[in-house]
Amino acid sequence: MSVQARIEEKLQSLDPEHVTVENESHMHHVPPDSETHFKVTLVAERFAGLMPVKRHQQVYAVLADELSGPVHALALHLYTPEEWRQRGEARPDSPDCRGGGAH
């Protein structure tokens, strides 16, 4: 199973209304077909009333194995359903890699 598929599967434990896992490794200086840099957008009612750091901690706990191994970077965009609707169901674009352009 790919790293991305494992992340997608494990995030289901947070009962998301919406979840998107994007492999952004190609935007960084890594070998082709790497799975090291990911962006996660997750919408769940469980985030209601929680500060961003508490939301992130929940995701870190679920993905502890991946974060201690193959995943080098994880961008998290975590919203309640109401926040997601207010944003027009859109998450921010990722910045360009500071290490240079994609290969």
Side-chain angles (χ1 to χ4, degrees), residues 18-85:
H18 170 86
V19 63
T20 303
V21 179
E22 300 171 72
N23 183 350
E24 296 188 329
S25 301
H26 66 279
M27 297 168 59
H28 302 273
H29 289 291
V30 297
D33 301 319
S34 290
E35 289 190 287
T36 56
H37 295 69
F38 291 92
K39 176 171 29 181
V40 170
T41 304
L42 194 141
V43 179
E45 187 60 43
R46 72 184 303 126
F47 295 146
L50 296 179
M51 297 298 291
V53 70
K54 294 294 185 189
R55 297 175 186 194
H56 285 228
Q57 288 171 343
Q58 288 186 16
V59 173
Y60 295 154
V62 170
L63 300 179
D65 290 341
E66 288 72 22
L67 291 168
S68 68
V71 176
H72 171 75
L74 184 65
L76 298 176
H77 303 285
L78 310 174
Y79 307 105
T80 65
E82 180 61 25
E83 291 166 344
W84 184 238
R85 282 189 288 281

